[in-house]
Amino acid sequence: MAVLLVISQLHGHRTLREAAVGTVAALVGMVPQGLVLLTSVAFGVAAVTLARRRVLVQQLPAVEGLARVDVVCLDKTGTLTDGTVAFDSLIRLEDQAPAEAALGALADDENRNAALAAIGQAFPPQEGWARQAAVPFSSARKWSAASFAGHGTWVLGAPEMVLPAGQQDQLSQAAGLAASGRRVLVLASATGPLDGESLPDGRRAAAFVLLGERLRSDAAETIAYFAAQGVALKVISGDSPLTVSAVAPRAGLPYADRPADARDLPDDPGALGRLLEELSVFGRVTPQQKQAMVTALQARGHTVAMTGDGVNDVLALKLADIGIAMGSGAPATRAVAELVLLDSRFATLPGVVAEGRRVTANIERVANLFITKTVWATLLAVAAGVTLLPYPFLPRDLTIIDTLAIGVPSFFLALAPNSRRYRPGFTDRVLRFAIPAGGIIAAATFAAYALAHARGLPLVQQRTAATLVTLILSLCVLVLLAIPLTWRRILLVGAVLAGFVLLFPVPAVRRFYALQLPHSGLATTLVIAALGAAALAGFWVLSRRHGRGPPPVVRQ
């Protein structure tokens, strides 16, 4: 294109300087240089907006990724519930077992988790229980154990993991308690010693420990938002599936009545992905299974956001498209996440997703403006090169169009409210709009320019006619992209139009921008502009009727 322009401009101009100016104007006009800057500014403003909502954006592209999220994987504790664990009750299974003393001794651990902390508040440690060996709690094992001098070995954990398979009556009792929505742990004594991370032999249930969690007051509203936005929620918890399925319906989670036990999930990624699309509640999930679930959903074309707060969530957060860490979580979790919810509130996520969708929808509007200009600038360069005519614009003419019809309006459009839902096909929609619209503008502009040239008008009047048509049609494109026209957008378009009109009354401004109205051909120029505007309106109506145009801006 540069070679073609150099040849044509050398032929159409009398001096090398004029030819160079025409070539530069044509080449620079083809580059949508403001789009990159405006996109970065929009992302930056979104990051500042989210920071005001107590959300730390650690990677700027995460703002765009938020708009594409259609599956959110989350834990029950800290999201559906407020994260506070409280002791509920103790159900004895052996009257002679020192259950209270054993629980107090197990909870007397500086590395205790939230469940042991709640138990420790209910059962303070007693004298005479000296710890000899211990196995800390693991979300993969779902139990912890310790041996005490003179009191043997005690295990506390999930009934399905701790109790032997033969104790079906007690397992059924634990399942019934879990169905009430409370977390159920079993305290068991063991005759065998601790051996690494293996359960000791001779385990015998001594008591069930019931823990309660409060449902977040805003959980139902948050879930309703995601349901309305077409975002699926997958509750992935280490608790019993019965416990999770009892809590989830209270929060309004759809399809929560079909819980799945992660121990029965298939290893095949394809089968796992299909099951994840059908079900919403999963219990007894290990950290390795969280990773497998994320990759299985991604393999089926989903954009996955993963929330987590523990070290065991790190790998799953890294694999997810958007990793979201809680501010109260482990430092390693916060380090790998793209977003950190500083207040650890799940209810913050709707605003986070909405901000990502606002930015992406507005950038699509802005991209339509910039790429339309690239199309007509390129077509005009081809037309000028083929016909060996001077390029229809000087660089300063393009500055007028860039500033009034693209630069200033696109800044306000990029930061405007917009609640439109995300739709895939960003590039396809932009090209479907920009190529026809740019073609119409290029055809009308070159027609006005060629007619002025055929009449023998001075080159400055030819270029003014081209600038006038291009600006009018660029304003038409702006109006179409700003629909529905709120009073703010009407004011914006009016200010841009006033700015163009005010270029002509002041002689110094006219001379600076090399503008001179073609008095003998002004009516023809305006008629061509009107025909181009009608063609743009017709194209817009047809594209909207067939669903191929850019989606309308949605008011907030």
Side-chain angles (χ1 to χ4, degrees):
M1 183 65 70
V3 172
L4 177 63
L5 283 168
V6 168
I7 296 173
S8 66
Q9 298 309 294
L10 286 174
H11 181 275
H13 290 283
R14 287 176 289 184
T15 67
L16 181 62
R17 182 181 183 278
E18 291 175 340
V21 170
T23 302
V24 169
L27 293 176
V28 171
M30 291 185 250
V31 181
Q33 64 269 23
L35 182 58
V36 176
L37 174 62
L38 203 60
T39 299
S40 300
V41 169
F43 281 175
V45 171
V48 173
T49 302
L50 291 175
R52 291 174 178 166
R53 300 176 184 173
R54 304 285 296 161
V55 179
L56 177 61
V57 180
Q58 302 198 118
Q59 296 183 23
L60 206 56
V63 175
E64 185 269 339
L66 288 169
R68 297 184 289 106
V69 167
D70 60 352
V71 176
V72 177
C73 298
L74 51 97
D75 195 359
K76 171 181 70 70
T77 304
T79 51
L80 300 182
T81 62
D82 61 7
T84 58
V85 181
F87 172 76
D88 183 278
S89 59
L90 179 71
I91 300 177
R92 289 181 168 277
L93 301 176
E94 283 192 4
D95 293 335
Q96 303 301 319
E100 293 87 346
L103 289 171
L106 287 169
D108 187 19
D109 184 354
E110 60 181 8
N111 296 318
R112 61 189 180 183
N113 58 14
L116 281 176
I119 292 172
Q121 291 180 352
F123 303 101
Q126 300 181 12
E127 295 183 0
W129 286 71
R131 183 177 297 225
Q132 293 179 317
V135 177
F137 176 81
S138 164
S139 58
R141 295 189 305 269
K142 304 192 184 306
W143 58 268
S144 61
S147 59
F148 305 93
H151 299 284
T153 301
W154 293 83
V155 182
L156 180 67
E160 303 96 310
M161 303 296 183
V162 174
L163 294 178
Q167 300 183 17
Q168 290 299 326
D169 291 342
Q170 293 175 341
L171 287 171
S172 299
Q173 184 180 357
L177 295 170
S180 67
R182 293 172 291 181
R183 185 187 301 185
V184 180
L185 302 177
V186 65
L187 174 68
S189 60
T191 57
L194 291 176
D195 182 14
E197 296 186 355
S198 300
L199 282 166
D201 297 329
R203 299 182 304 280
R204 186 177 181 85
F208 284 131
V209 181
L210 273 60
L211 304 175
E213 296 179 81
R214 290 182 302 179
L215 189 70
R216 283 189 180 272
S217 58
D218 50 16
E221 181 181 355
T222 303
I223 290 174
Y225 168 84
F226 282 119
Q229 293 295 314
V231 178
L233 294 179
K234 307 296 178 183
V235 180
I236 301 174
S237 175
D239 292 345
S240 166
L242 295 175
T243 300
V244 183
S245 66
V247 172
R250 290 161 49 199
L253 187 74
Y255 312 113
D257 56 340
R258 297 172 56 197
D261 193 320
R263 294 173 298 174
D264 301 328
L265 294 179
D267 294 328
D268 176 64
L272 179 60
R274 289 190 294 272
L275 193 61
L276 285 165
E277 290 183 331
E278 297 173 1
L279 305 178
S280 299
V281 174
F282 301 86
R284 299 300 182 214
V285 182
T286 65
Q288 291 75 21
Q289 286 179 314
K290 290 183 180 181
Q291 302 170 42
M293 289 177 169
V294 169
T295 55
L297 286 168
Q298 290 171 330
R300 295 187 67 82
H302 295 286
T303 302
V304 182
M306 176 77 191
T307 65
D309 57 2
V311 176
N312 292 323
D313 297 324
V314 167
L315 291 178
L317 288 175
K318 285 181 68 66
L319 289 173
D321 297 282
I322 301 294
I324 303 173
M326 299 297 176
S328 59
T333 307
R334 298 197 303 269
V336 302
E338 284 86 3
L339 300 172
V340 180
L341 305 183
L342 298 176
D343 56 5
S344 301
R345 293 180 62 246
F346 177 58
T348 308
L349 273 183
V352 173
V353 173
E355 184 65 17
R357 293 186 171 186
R358 182 191 69 81
V359 170
T360 303
N362 285 340
I363 287 176
E364 182 174 334
R365 299 279 140 187
V366 171
N368 281 310
L369 281 176
F370 279 97
I371 305 303
T372 297
K373 184 239 182 178
T374 295
V375 171
W376 61 250
T378 302
L379 293 176
L380 286 175
V382 172
V386 171
T387 58
L388 299 179
L389 291 175
Y391 190 67
F393 304 109
L394 290 172
R396 66 190 73 178
D397 299 328
L398 292 174
T399 299
I400 298 173
I401 300 169
D402 285 343
T403 302
L404 295 179
I406 300 174
V408 173
S410 63
F411 178 81
F412 289 99
L413 286 180
L415 303 181
N418 196 334
S419 59
R420 176 172 68 84
R421 289 177 57 177
Y422 173 79
R423 287 172 48 194
F426 177 97
T427 305
D428 181 66
R429 286 195 302 274
V430 170
L431 294 180
R432 283 179 179 271
F433 176 84
I435 292 176
I440 292 171
I441 294 175
T445 299
F446 194 77
Y449 176 67
L451 285 175
H453 178 76
R455 284 196 174 101
L457 298 178
L459 183 58
V460 64
Q461 293 188 16
Q462 298 174 31
R463 284 175 165 161
T464 301
T467 302
L468 185 63
V469 171
T470 304
L471 185 60
I472 291 174
L473 297 184
S474 295
L475 290 177
C476 291
V477 170
L478 173 62
V479 171
L480 294 176
L481 292 175
I483 292 174
L485 292 175
T486 63
W487 69 267
R488 289 186 178 89
R489 294 175 189 142
I490 294 175
L491 185 63
L492 174 63
V493 174
V496 169
L497 185 59
F500 177 67
V501 172
L502 292 176
L503 292 171
F504 293 94
V506 182
V509 176
R510 288 201 309 272
R511 286 194 300 270
F512 177 80
Y513 284 108
L515 296 175
Q516 186 178 347
L517 288 174
H519 298 292
S520 61
L522 182 59
T524 303
T525 300
L526 294 178
V527 169
I528 292 174
L531 293 175
L536 285 173
F539 157 69
W540 173 265
V541 171
L542 290 176
S543 63
R544 297 292 299 157
R545 183 175 298 172
H546 294 88
R548 295 179 179 179
V553 176
V554 180
R555 301 184 191 184
Q556 282 185 326

